[in-house]
Amino acid sequence: AGPMPGMRSPLSTDEPPTSRKDITGYNNFYEFGTDKSDPARNAGRLTTRPWTVKVDGMVARPATFDLDDILKAVTLEERIYRMRCVEGWSMVIPWVGFPLSALLSKVEPLGSAKYVAFETLVRPAEMTGLGGFIKVLDWPYREGLRLDEAMHPLTLLATGLYGESLPNQNGAPLRLVVPWKYGFKGIKSIVRISLTDKQPATSWNMQAPQEYGFYSNVNPAVDHPRWSQATERRIGEGSGLFAKRRPTLPFNGYAEQVAGLYAGMDLRKFY
Amino acid sequence: MAPARPRPPPRMPTWPVYLLGLVPAVYYFWQGIYGDLGADPLKVLEHALGEWALRFLIAGLAVTPLRRELGINLLKYRRALGLLAFLYVLLHLGVYAVLDQGLDWRSVGADILRRPYITVGMAGFLLLLPLAATSFNAAIRWLGGRNWSRLHKLVYPAALAGALHYVMLVKSWPLEPLVYAAIVLALLGWRLWRGRSHRAP
């Protein structure tokens, strides 16, 4: 990983970041296997250069961007965000990246565009989890946001971590970070971004619609059908075995900035 | 298929089985205390103990088919395997209640009532209780062999509950829980098949 410094951002939390070892060794990236340690072991073989991202759909200027050209055109920031996994654990991660809105404004979304759909690379030769006996998800991995969520200043496209380029297991070379939503919304190794007027299909919602909604905002009051979301275990805290669970915050502690996006919506229904 | 003729029991005493059976527990607690279980050690410990419980349950369920089909007689060690399974279930439950939930009984209670995979797991534990409580010779004499064997058939639903508990808790369809479930189903299916074929003329 080469150096990739970012400017300090006032949007960063001052909570102590989780160790680099834990952030890069404990990952959900099913394209490289379902065990948390699989991505660190298997993602090394992924080729991340050259890398292009196709941005199309309801935009005035659709384009296929070379990632290095994007990186020359944007200002990289360091954003230290809380990350809450839907499984009940959390981390604090020093991302380096740029606001998604910076990329979207280059393609000029049309007035009719309401949603943004994302897709992960599918490259079986390098992604060991794509084969296998049972198909764990319907590839490619898909995620989506409402356009106003996508344009929110907190919404980040990350290209780095801890001041260096993003390790493959964390979604290199380009991943989404939406800190007020469960971690799985942060789609990794993005190759396509499409603007549409219909709510896009998303992978975990397709897999288990009653468990994973389109919105998936962090919400301690709405349990996952199979486990509680009221508390979380902060990875690396309390020397591991004796870590006390901490209460989960609405919108993962970003309510002040984002709760307005959902004014008047029943968050039990739109989970 | 002609059943193999059971061979006499092996000479090895049972205590090494208990001793070896404790090795994984000691290993995982040791690793946990020394911070070698990765980023979320509690989860690894919880899972490892649960998985070993399932392994010992499966080993216990395999004793009869092994004897009948392959003539391998491990009957002598079945009680040890069963008690080890119970011990691992107990440790698994203890780690969940004490370390994971911090003895917050309200949240444990809510989990048992509202989370089907925990309800199923708890049911499995309750089914094992009378078996562990009657796992000594005096209990067999007191109950009578017939009643005792009947009572100990509770291990079938308990093993099913354990396997189901594992399948129900994972996201997506990783292979491992399905493999355990398939083995449990095969061992119980063998009993069903055998029961039927013996009743047939």
Side-chain angles (χ1 to χ4, degrees), chain A residues 41-114:
Chain A
R41 202 167 31 242
N42 299 329
R45 70 186 72 168
L46 179 69
T47 326
T48 56
R49 285 296 188 284
W51 193 272
T52 56
V53 190
K54 186 176 179 184
V55 189
D56 62 357
M58 295 181 160
V59 296
R61 300 156 62 88
T64 298
F65 295 97
D66 187 279
L67 181 61
D68 289 321
D69 294 336
I70 298 178
L71 286 173
K72 272 177 229 149
V74 296
T75 310
L76 291 178
E77 298 172 44
E78 181 178 70
R79 299 268 187 103
I80 306 172
Y81 281 164
R82 288 178 291 276
M83 205 278 289
R84 169 63 156 82
C85 179
V86 73
E87 296 165 351
W89 51 269
S90 64
M91 294 185 180
V92 175
I93 305 180
W95 301 111
V96 176
F98 57 92
L100 172 61
S101 61
L103 180 63
L104 292 183
S105 55
K106 284 189 206 304
V107 295
E108 296 169 21
L110 300 176
S112 51
K114 295 280 176 288

Side-chain angles (χ1 to χ4, degrees), chain B residues 163-179:
Chain B
L164 190 62
H165 170 67
Y166 193 6
V167 170
M168 284 171 79
L169 90 100
V170 291
K171 288 197 321 194
S172 179
W173 297 107
L175 200 55
E176 247 186 322
L178 297 178
V179 169

Side-chain angles (χ1 to χ4, degrees), chain A residues 20-30 33-41 83 87 89 91 93 95 161 167-171 175 188, chain B residues 39:
Chain A
R20 190 177 205 289
K21 180 166 163 269
D22 285 344
I23 296 174
T24 60
Y26 194 70
N27 307 98
N28 279 322
F29 196 169
Y30 281 19
T34 53
D35 194 88
K36 299 274 189 298
S37 59
D38 286 340
R41 202 167 31 242
M83 205 278 289
E87 296 165 351
W89 51 269
M91 294 185 180
I93 305 180
W95 301 111
L161 173 75
N168 289 358
Q169 62 267 36
N170 294 89
R175 70 165 285 168
K188 302 184 175 85

Side-chain angles (χ1 to χ4, degrees), chain A residues 85-266:
Chain A
C85 179
V86 73
E87 296 165 351
W89 51 269
S90 64
M91 294 185 180
V92 175
I93 305 180
W95 301 111
V96 176
F98 57 92
L100 172 61
S101 61
L103 180 63
L104 292 183
S105 55
K106 284 189 206 304
V107 295
E108 296 169 21
L110 300 176
S112 51
K114 295 280 176 288
Y115 294 92
V116 185
F118 303 84
E119 271 179 31
T120 295
L121 174 78
V122 180
R123 195 183 285 159
E126 295 179 354
M127 295 171 137
T128 42
L130 294 179
F133 183 57
I134 303 169
K135 211 161 116 181
V136 287
L137 285 170
D138 188 1
W139 315 111
Y141 194 86
R142 278 161 266 212
E143 258 311 334
L145 295 172
R146 233 167 45 189
L147 186 56
D148 58 343
E149 297 175 323
M151 297 301 285
H152 193 279
L154 280 172
T155 304
L156 194 74
L157 282 175
T159 55
L161 173 75
Y162 264 116
E164 294 183 351
S165 58
L166 200 60
N168 289 358
Q169 62 267 36
N170 294 89
L174 183 73
R175 70 165 285 168
L176 181 67
V177 180
V178 195
W180 70 92
K181 292 176 180 283
Y182 291 118
F184 69 85
K185 294 293 288 183
I187 183 168
K188 302 184 175 85
S189 306
I190 300 168
V191 291
R192 186 169 176 200
I193 300 175
S194 293
L195 284 89
T196 91
D197 56 354
K198 286 183 196 65
Q199 183 176 302
T202 58
S203 286
W204 280 103
N205 181 252
M206 290 157 68
Q207 173 86 359
Q210 67 291 350
E211 301 193 355
Y212 310 99
F214 173 77
Y215 285 93
S216 290
N217 292 318
V218 175
N219 190 341
V222 177
D223 286 345
H224 184 281
R226 290 184 285 139
W227 56 81
S228 165
Q229 296 292 26
T231 60
E232 64 200 52
R233 198 160 47 242
R234 183 61 61 80
I235 298 297
E237 216 173 48
S239 67
L241 273 194
F242 306 102
K244 246 182 94 63
R245 301 184 75 91
R246 50 165 75 212
T248 289
L249 302 173
F251 299 106
N252 200 22
Y254 297 95
E256 210 178 301
Q257 293 102 308
V258 301
L261 294 173
Y262 311 100
M265 281 173 67
D266 179 357

